[in-house]
Amino acid sequence: MQPQSRVKFSLIIPTYNEGKNIGAIVNQLSTLLDAALPEDYELLVVDDDSPDRTWELAQALMSDYPQLRVMRRQQERGLSTAVIRGWQRAQGQVLGVIDGDLQHPPEVLLNLLSAIDQGADLAVASRNAEGGGVSDWSPTRRFLSRGAQMLGLIVLPRVVGRVSDPMSGYFMVRRSAIGGCTLDPLGYKILLEVLGRGNIAEVAEVGYVFQERKEGESKVTWKQYVEYLMHLVKLRISSPSGRLKRLKQKLPFRRFMRFGLVGVSGVFVDMAMFYLLSDPSTLAWGLTRSKILASEVAIVNNFLWNDRWTFGDISSRQRGKRQRLRRFIKFNLVCLAGLILNVLLLNFLFNVLGINRYIANLIAIALVTLWNFWLNLKLSWRVTDTQE
Ligand code: GDD
Ligand code: MN
């Protein structure tokens, strides 16, 4: 999503065959927003090439409503993608969505906006919050709606449980909360996607009564129920359980993998140098002299890669030659201590515990790699050293 924001608020109105409603809803929304946010908002109708030519009717309104923009999509279809495409084109810091059939009362918009102003990242219009409800729904429809919500609570409690009306299609969210995320929803329920993938710290709810449709007809069929279920499962699969997630955040797996790879590259550098210096066919230096120099070259190699790659994010916050030299010296010391530890461990495992020498060496290397990693993380690339 582009970071540009030239207005405060962008409201998407997804439409499919809403020709009979479009004039009224644009009028009501403009009246409200012209008073609340003069020239600091935009209305974006995203129409999927409706056969009743809603897009054409909307375009004709643009001369009367300068804050109105219209997108006619001919390649793609679907409510959720319409909303996301709209947000991608939108210029507001706050991104919202409202149905185009007047079933969502426009006045509620102002309450949602003030919830955002008071610090919420996401403000949801809810049928199940105080002051909310549905007009006259049949028991079957109520049952289906509640059933779907219960199912969601079972499959995705941490996402669905955060709001009282997870099916709501009337809400607004700060652009910054979803800016870095890839939203890839399925079917109708875009709010699930925002809750599941967005970076939402504070949620606010505003009650509203879901109005009856006066014009046009609903596009909901059994297909939307199936898609809803598939969407829940998809979100469930892509979001690891809380415990695993926390563990992943705590343990620097990625860094450790990188550190290990760099270590392997160091072995090759060491070997090559050792050959060049000590082999009778090349320089034929003494064993110890060759080994010390080869090790040092490998250490320099490892330092450069680790500084750029493994701990690159930390290094970039500790700029300057002096800081870099300090990191290099510490790295050297840690590696040297690691080497001594390596020899001691090998001796202990082989001589005291009687483990096979190669297995003992492998264990020693593995333990020393961990030691090197932790110490370097704590000393050489210490995050607390950063200067802003
Ligand atoms: N662009 C686009 N493409 N718009 C669509 C599509 C589509 O494929 N399908 C539906 N829409 C538009 C409709 O024109 C309408 O403006 C809005 O999306 C909602 O569609 P409805 O068919 O009227 O749905 P609903 O009334 O059963 O349910 C709505 O209200 C619920 C309660 O808040 C939905 O918005 C639900 O998401 C919402 O929870
Ligand atoms: Mn509707």
Side-chain angles (χ1 to χ4, degrees):
M1 225 169 266
Q2 296 144 352
Q4 54 185 176
S5 36
R6 272 177 243 141
V7 288
K8 175 168 179 197
F9 177 50
S10 297
L11 184 61
I12 309 300
I13 312 165
T15 57
Y16 193 75
N17 285 343
E18 302 292 355
K20 290 188 178 141
N21 293 313
I22 192 71
I25 189 158
V26 167
N27 177 279
Q28 293 188 26
L29 291 172
S30 300
T31 308
L32 276 169
L33 288 168
D34 279 341
L37 294 171
E39 287 181 29
D40 207 11
Y41 74 94
E42 60 179 349
L43 297 177
L44 212 76
V45 170
V46 184
D47 185 76
D48 287 357
D49 213 17
S50 300
D52 80 348
R53 305 178 81 83
T54 308
W55 47 273
E56 201 175 52
L57 298 166
Q59 279 167 352
L61 295 170
M62 281 167 59
S63 52
D64 290 332
Y65 301 96
Q67 308 304 117
L68 177 66
R69 296 164 68 196
V70 180
M71 252 176 97
R72 174 190 179 191
R73 300 201 308 165
Q74 290 174 288
Q75 313 298 338
E76 242 178 333
R77 263 218 64 178
L79 177 53
S80 291
T81 62
V83 177
I84 290 176
R85 294 288 172 247
W87 285 345
Q88 284 172 337
R89 289 274 188 91
Q91 301 181 336
Q93 287 153 255
V94 178
L95 306 171
V97 54
I98 185 170
D99 283 357
D101 54 8
L102 289 168
Q103 288 191 278
H104 291 158
E107 324 76 72
V108 173
L109 208 68
L110 302 180
N111 301 339
L112 291 171
L113 271 173
S114 71
I116 295 272
D117 279 340
Q118 282 162 31
D121 299 303
L122 172 72
V124 182
S126 165
R127 292 166 294 185
N128 305 320
E130 210 184 305
V134 290
S135 333
D136 42 337
W137 275 20
S138 69
T140 323
R141 189 153 179 210
R142 279 172 207 261
F143 174 78
L144 275 177
S145 175
R146 280 293 181 178
Q149 185 177 355
M150 291 289 277
L151 217 80
L153 275 173
I154 294 168
V155 181
L156 263 182
R158 255 181 288 266
V159 171
V160 175
R162 289 189 76 183
V163 287
S164 65
D165 188 359
M167 313 294 159
S168 177
Y170 190 12
F171 63 91
M172 50 188 76
V173 59
R174 273 178 214 284
R175 176 192 285 272
S176 57
I178 54 170
C181 319
T182 309
L183 302 181
D184 177 21
L186 221 156
Y188 249 46
K189 301 304 170 191
I190 174 97
L191 179 58
L192 286 181
E193 192 72 8
V194 168
L195 273 170
R197 298 192 203 271
N199 209 339
I200 314 277
E202 201 185 318
V203 180
E205 298 198 349
V206 175
Y208 85 99
V209 178
F210 192 64
Q211 305 296 306
E212 284 306 297
R213 218 182 223 282
K214 296 200 187 71
E215 301 290 344
E217 54 198 62
S218 169
K219 285 92 209 171
V220 173
T221 61
W222 60 269
K223 198 174 150 227
Q224 269 74 44
Y225 287 96
V226 176
E227 280 180 340
Y228 167 70
L229 292 182
M230 282 164 55
H231 192 188
L232 283 177
V233 171
K234 200 171 144 196
L235 273 174
R236 171 77 218 216
I237 292 170
S238 64
S239 72
S241 80
R243 224 205 252 145
L244 200 71
K245 216 171 173 177
R246 255 172 279 140
L247 194 71
K248 269 191 171 163
Q249 279 165 358
K250 247 201 203 140
L251 292 180
F253 282 122
R254 247 169 89 101
R255 267 198 223 287
F256 187 67
M257 285 296 296
R258 291 180 173 188
F259 191 80
L261 278 174
V262 170
V264 171
S265 84
V267 173
F268 284 98
V269 171
D270 187 313
M271 281 289 195
M273 276 310 287
F274 189 63
Y275 166 78
L276 282 177
L277 298 173
S278 73
D279 200 80
S281 67
T282 53
L283 289 179
W285 285 14
L287 200 71
T288 308
R289 207 153 56 116
S290 303
K291 175 64 194 172
I292 291 174
L293 201 69
S295 304
E296 191 51 38
V297 175
I299 287 178
V300 172
N301 165 82
N302 290 12
F303 175 78
L304 291 177
W305 284 106
N306 282 326
D307 206 46
R308 278 272 164 80
W309 189 46
T310 315
F311 302 104
D313 52 330
I314 302 175
S315 316
S316 65
R317 280 173 273 146
Q318 307 173 352
R319 295 259 171 83
K321 283 207 176 92
R322 273 181 64 99
Q323 296 255 31
R324 199 156 187 230
L325 188 67
R326 272 179 53 187
R327 294 199 296 271
F328 178 62
I329 292 170
K330 283 183 187 168
F331 183 72
N332 251 294
L333 290 175
V334 171
C335 288
L336 192 69
L339 187 65
I340 297 169
L341 191 70
N342 210 333
V343 174
L344 290 178
L345 268 170
L346 179 63
N347 266 291
F348 175 76
L349 294 168
F350 178 68
N351 291 326
V352 180
L353 298 186
I355 297 175
N356 171 290
R357 71 175 66 217
Y358 299 106
I359 294 178
N361 195 23
L362 268 181
I363 299 176
I365 291 173
L367 289 176
V368 169
T369 306
L370 270 174
W371 147 280
N372 273 348
F373 177 71
W374 273 113
L375 235 72
N376 275 313
L377 182 63
K378 296 288 165 225
L379 289 176
S380 316
W381 285 276
R382 199 169 44 184
V383 187
T384 48
D385 269 357
T386 59
Q387 25 171 262
E388 294 300 320

